[in-house]
Amino acid sequence: MPERGKFIVFEGLDGSGKGTQISALRDHIRSTGAEAYFTAEPTISSTGGMIRDALGGHLRRDAYELSALFLADRIFHNVNPINGIRQYIEKGIDVVCDRYYYSSFAYQGIEADLDWVMKMNLGCNEILKPDLCIFLDIDISTGEKRISENRFDREIYENVEAQRRIRKRFFEVFDRIMENENIKIVDASRTVPEVSADIIKIYNELKEK
Ligand code: TYD
């Protein structure tokens, strides 16, 4: 049996620079000749499509309903036989995922009952626990500036008040689960190379374990 791959998740508010930093990590991993599978949530499954309609504000969904859609999408993301996370990990290939259950806790957990959302995700055997979560932390005004520069349409959570509540929720959740999860908080208000150097250091530490 090959050694299991590492499962790495990126989290952060909208506008925190996840996309840029994930591609910088991809370039770094490629330069070392290692193999990794890059993926994101919501996925491109039919459930992911329903989620995107709701995020775009085209169809209003209850926060519990949205939590359940993210949960179904996440189970599919883990177990589907074509490109599910689990099979890469079991084959010894690292997986890097843009958002995961921490986003459900912070985003859905501001409207739906947080304990319920956490229990559904953490209590589900099909949903793998990440080996590392990198949280790109920015203050609300930096995030807002980046969202307004880069977006034509705003999603339902892309407003200052929601982002403020979501950031607070992320930290409350991290306090609660810190002991059982490997969460690294990175100051993402710095320049792209500064942030990326920190991320590569954290990645290398995980690989050396
Ligand atoms: P995002 O990474 O911002 O994608 P994009 O760059 O295409 O906008 O993620 C989309 C949105 O989905 C983001 O606002 C957070 C939200 N989300 C949740 O609310 N709950 C979840 O469980 C996940 C995975 C994402």
Side-chain angles (χ1 to χ4, degrees):
M1 280 255 286
E3 195 184 322
R4 284 168 74 83
K6 300 288 188 200
F7 181 21
I8 301 161
V9 168
F10 277 79
E11 289 282 1
L13 292 180
D14 298 273
S16 59
K18 281 185 294 95
T20 308
Q21 291 302 336
I22 289 173
S23 52
L25 181 62
R26 181 192 277 132
D27 292 344
H28 170 75
I29 295 176
R30 281 203 184 131
S31 75
T32 66
E35 196 181 353
Y37 173 68
F38 284 78
T39 186
E41 292 191 4
T43 72
I44 53 162
S45 71
S46 48
T47 316
M50 288 161 75
I51 293 171
R52 264 185 289 277
D53 278 347
L55 291 176
H58 309 300
L59 182 63
R60 165 113 184 88
R61 291 208 187 257
D62 175 85
Y64 287 86
E65 194 186 1
L66 201 48
S67 307
L69 287 174
F70 275 112
L71 180 78
D73 189 43
R74 187 160 299 126
I75 295 172
F76 168 83
H77 198 193
N78 273 267
V79 304
N80 91 75
I82 312 295
N83 55 3
I85 295 171
R86 185 176 290 270
Q87 60 181 316
Y88 289 103
I89 299 292
E90 284 171 0
K91 277 189 220 147
I93 298 168
D94 294 347
V95 173
V96 179
C97 185
D98 185 347
R99 295 195 185 278
Y100 200 57
Y101 51 51
Y102 314 92
S103 278
S104 287
F105 305 160
Y107 285 75
Q108 281 64 61
I110 57 171
E111 283 177 306
D113 178 67
L114 176 61
D115 289 324
W116 180 77
V117 181
M118 290 179 75
K119 209 160 110 196
M120 276 203 311
N121 281 274
L122 299 176
C124 175
N125 289 335
E126 304 288 44
I127 296 181
L128 284 180
K129 178 171 144 179
D131 296 295
L132 169 67
C133 165
I134 296 176
F135 180 74
L136 297 185
D137 187 33
I138 42 157
D139 57 72
I140 306 300
S141 53
T142 310
E144 170 59 24
K145 195 164 157 275
R146 291 188 190 162
I147 294 171
S148 58
E149 282 164 4
N150 297 319
R151 302 276 200 280
F152 293 114
D153 295 316
R154 284 178 182 246
E155 292 182 341
I156 52 172
Y157 297 113
E158 289 177 340
N159 64 78
V160 172
E161 192 39 41
Q163 294 291 310
R164 196 183 311 284
R165 293 170 67 204
I166 292 162
R167 183 170 185 272
K168 190 161 166 269
R169 256 295 186 242
F170 264 122
F171 283 106
E172 283 164 6
V173 166
F174 290 157
D175 269 353
R176 281 172 65 165
I177 60 177
M178 213 59 151
E179 273 182 22
N180 297 314
E181 305 258 342
N182 183 18
I183 297 163
K184 301 278 192 233
I185 295 164
V186 171
D187 173 5
S189 59
R190 296 168 298 157
T191 65
V192 172
E194 281 172 327
V195 177
S196 131
D198 271 11
I199 292 171
I200 290 170
K201 200 162 151 258
I202 294 168
Y203 167 80
N204 288 338
E205 279 165 12
L206 178 75
K207 295 295 285 180
E208 280 157 17
K209 263 192 195 166

